[in-house]
Amino acid sequence: MKKLINDPHDVVKEAVAGFVAAHSDLVAAGPDPEELFVHRRGGAVPGKVGLVSGGGSGHEPLHVGFVGEGMLDAAVPGAVFTSPTPGPILAATKAADGGAGVLHIVKNYTGDVLNFETAAELADAEDIDVAAVIINDDVAVQDSLFTAGRRGVAGTVLVEKIAGASAERRDDLATVAAVATKVNERTRSMGVALHACTVPHAGELSFELAEDEIEIGIGIHGEPGRERIPMAGADDITDRLLDAVTTDLGLSGGEEVLLFVNGMGATPLSELYIVYGRAAERLAAAGVKVTRSLVGNYTTALDMQGCSVTVLHLDEELTTLWDAPAKTPAMRSET
Amino acid sequence: MKKLINDPHDVVKEAVAGFVAAHSDLVAAGPDPEELFVHRRGGAVPGKVGLVSGGGSGHEPLHVGFVGEGMLDAAVPGAVFTSPTPGPILAATKAADGGAGVLHIVKNYTGDVLNFETAAELADAEDIDVAAVIINDDVAVQDSLFTAGRRGVAGTVLVEKIAGASAERRDDLATVAAVATKVNERTRSMGVALHACTVPHAGELSFELAEDEIEIGIGIHGEPGRERIPMAGADDITDRLLDAVTTDLGLSGGEEVLLFVNGMGATPLSELYIVYGRAAERLAAAGVKVTRSLVGNYTTALDMQGCSVTVLHLDEELTTLWDAPAKTPAMRSET
């Protein structure tokens, strides 16, 4: 294992410190290093619903990279591939509360769901209204290593952007939660791994793939997917991912969608664009109109090679909110 | 070799097609597929100096990702790690000319320099004023596999941003060229590879590194650097890169700088932030003030693992131009 790290146990602490130093115009760290979270510079916005997400580290820029105007108010990075505990989630929730309540955006992994629930109960005891949306966009498998039900993967970014815009225009907590739920319900993803990742403190590959095989339906922690198949061309792989997504989403033609090709961390941008091009062609051939796009490393799995394809079935409201301004370290858009 | 590609010979064509499809709100491809280039949507801006860059593909998002308002007017992607020929460079130059002349931003590799020179002569014959700036920010080695003199690496992004802002405010060609030259003269970079990259049509690693060694001073095509050393911690590696850069730049304390940690393509963002944090600490300890930052995959070498550290010695003019708005697929900033 060769990584640009020092002590494997300091990876998250040091990476977050560097992140906050690089983006001190936008974000700051919470006051207690034992309850690590990142919040929007300047703190909670009075009267605005606060958005808090988090989860195991190793998926950067998710979640800390999306803290800032128009997206998250705070993000809680756990240890690598390990849920944060309720303590820092509660601290982040309090820091994000501007008096209008807080929405927890939680990827559907057992540890995350439990710890966010506990933090929500503790926040409730301190008179903070908390709602939660559980993200489960991954169509690959029903249950998995760390999950009951579908996993939450790259679609989380779309929820954070669109619910963030809803909060920014001062929608109330119930409305922001409904918007987030709507995005989740209209979003599906599936991924592929060409090569596994290496967790720093483990020091070895999270799983093994032969030189001529790939894993279709991979999870973002290297959890097993649907099947291992022989290495194939980008078009073939793209079709497998996209077909699973569009079938599950029930697209029949005539819809407008956002097409998102997400890199798992170690895949060149040029390859992501090859996948995007194929997926866009296939959608067009099926009469589905791609009106918005996103391509890049947004929800990674450390140094995994591979990508995922996400489709969000847009409507006018979601398109308007997607287009709203955002100013975060990892995503910016202007009016 | 496992890559998300189809025929290795179609990689650039397909990746550019996907890129243009994903960002059709900002960019378009030139009309002739045999003379491939990408230009700003809407074409040349009347009265504005046009900026054209290009070079071998495999460094994405450089250069096509920086086409758009506030940066490049056109970019010419060659074959992977291979200079584009004069034909498409000339076509891009003509497409970028708004009547105020065109600046070529050329990384210092023999093929690029020759082909851009030839294109400039052809453009001159068509009464287009062309100036050129040669980027040579890499302090690692004096001459190299593809270069006489220093190589141009990640600092190119900073030149494209700052000269782009100069052109956007309607500076004339001599002024934009002088700004670009000034950025180059005040920028130094050095990189490290932990693992080599694989060129698609070659199908094998561009060089071999043992499991316990790394290459300090690596080029962005895998050209040899200064030395191979045993694998070390991130702090040690960062210090080696940063010290070479700051020594060459002659920083003595009191300066304001932009600190840029660039990923080579397959390195997790968390690792880049660990490097950033260490470099920022070391600069602060030396009395150098980091007032601007950039962290991410901006000048890559396909799927190489590693990073480079770039320092730009700012002044008030360069800071103002760095902060100016840009709206491109791979870099956005607002006023």
Side-chain angles (χ1 to χ4, degrees), chain A residues 2 22-23 194 213 273 293, chain B residues 2 22-23 194 211 213 273 293:
Chain A
K2 285 189 280 188
H23 303 290
L194 277 57
E213 71 179 1
Y273 280 116
S293 66
Chain B
K2 285 190 280 191
H23 304 290
L194 277 58
E211 184 48 42
E213 71 179 0
Y273 280 116
S293 66

Side-chain angles (χ1 to χ4, degrees), chain B:
Chain B
M1 178 188 68
K2 285 190 280 191
K3 288 179 178 289
L4 287 167
I5 62 175
N6 296 300
D7 185 326
H9 296 94
D10 294 335
V11 164
V12 173
K13 182 183 77 177
E14 292 182 3
V16 171
F19 170 80
V20 170
H23 304 290
S24 59
D25 53 328
L26 299 174
V27 301
D32 181 355
E34 299 301 311
E35 297 199 330
L36 186 63
F37 70 94
V38 172
H39 63 87
R40 203 197 275 220
R41 187 183 162 93
V45 181
K48 189 185 86 66
V49 170
L51 262 64
V52 175
S53 192
S57 290
H59 308 299
E60 292 70 28
L62 192 79
H63 298 272
V64 293
F66 304 122
V67 172
E69 192 186 317
M71 292 187 75
L72 300 178
D73 293 270
V76 194
V80 173
F81 291 178
T82 304
S83 173
T85 54
I89 301 172
L90 175 63
T93 302
K94 290 160 78 168
D97 179 37
V102 173
L103 180 68
H104 284 173
I105 298 174
V106 187
K107 299 194 300 304
N108 190 33
Y109 299 96
T110 307
D112 290 308
V113 172
L114 281 173
N115 289 334
F116 270 89
E117 273 178 7
T118 303
E121 285 163 17
L122 296 168
D124 184 64
E126 301 195 30
D127 289 326
I128 300 173
D129 279 342
V130 177
V133 57
I134 309 296
I135 311 304
N136 63 348
D137 56 312
D138 187 348
V139 305
V141 289
Q142 186 52 38
D143 296 313
S144 178
L145 209 53
F146 305 116
T147 337
R150 288 179 167 186
R151 301 173 295 214
V153 292
T156 311
V157 178
L158 309 183
V159 176
E160 293 180 0
K161 172 67 186 74
I162 292 174
S166 168
E168 208 70 49
R169 70 179 181 189
R170 300 300 186 271
D171 287 347
D172 64 17
L173 181 58
T175 305
V176 177
V179 165
T181 301
K182 180 174 160 186
V183 176
N184 182 58
E185 285 172 351
R186 295 166 74 105
T187 298
R188 300 288 190 284
S189 303
M190 196 157 93
V192 61
L194 277 58
H195 193 272
C197 56
T198 303
V199 175
H201 58 259
E204 56 187 34
L205 285 173
S206 55
F207 58 99
E208 293 279 353
L209 281 171
E211 184 48 42
D212 60 349
E213 71 179 0
I214 61 178
E215 176 103 16
I216 297 281
I218 191 76
I220 57 172
H221 312 90
E223 316 95 289
R226 282 191 179 182
E227 53 178 340
R228 290 193 176 186
I229 63 167
M231 183 59 200
D235 286 354
D236 181 19
I237 294 170
T238 304
D239 293 354
R240 287 170 184 266
L241 302 181
L242 184 68
D243 288 353
V245 162
T246 55
T247 300
D248 201 279
L249 201 49
L251 297 183
S252 57
E255 295 90 351
E256 296 197 345
V257 301
L258 184 155
L259 173 58
F260 172 21
V261 176
N262 172 64
M264 293 291 194
T267 299
L269 203 47
S270 50
E271 297 180 28
L272 302 183
Y273 280 116
I274 290 173
V275 171
Y276 180 90
R278 173 68 175 190
E281 268 177 25
R282 291 266 297 185
L283 287 167
V288 175
K289 190 163 184 202
V290 178
T291 58
R292 295 294 182 275
S293 66
L294 188 65
V295 182
N297 292 306
Y298 290 95
T299 302
T300 62
L302 294 166
D303 52 358
M304 189 186 285
Q305 264 184 284
C307 74
S308 58
V309 172
T310 296
V311 175
L312 162 58
H313 179 186
L314 290 166
D315 64 10
E316 199 179 321
E317 179 190 37
L318 298 185
T319 303
T320 300
L321 292 169
W322 174 257
D323 288 345
K327 192 171 180 182
T328 74
M331 190 180 289
R332 294 195 180 216
S333 60
E334 315 84 36
T335 37

Side-chain angles (χ1 to χ4, degrees), chain A residues 155-167:
Chain A
T156 311
V157 178
L158 309 183
V159 177
E160 294 181 358
K161 172 67 186 74
I162 292 173
S166 169

Side-chain angles (χ1 to χ4, degrees), chain A residues 245-313:
Chain A
V245 161
T246 55
T247 301
D248 201 279
L249 201 50
L251 296 182
S252 57
E255 296 89 351
E256 296 197 344
V257 302
L258 184 155
L259 174 59
F260 173 21
V261 176
N262 173 63
M264 292 293 194
T267 299
L269 203 49
S270 50
E271 297 179 30
L272 302 182
Y273 280 116
I274 289 173
V275 171
Y276 179 90
R278 173 67 175 192
E281 267 177 27
R282 293 266 296 184
L283 286 167
V288 176
K289 189 163 184 200
V290 178
T291 59
R292 296 293 183 274
S293 66
L294 186 66
V295 182
N297 292 304
Y298 290 96
T299 301
T300 61
L302 294 167
D303 52 358
M304 189 186 285
Q305 266 182 283
C307 74
S308 58
V309 172
T310 296
V311 176
L312 162 59
H313 179 186

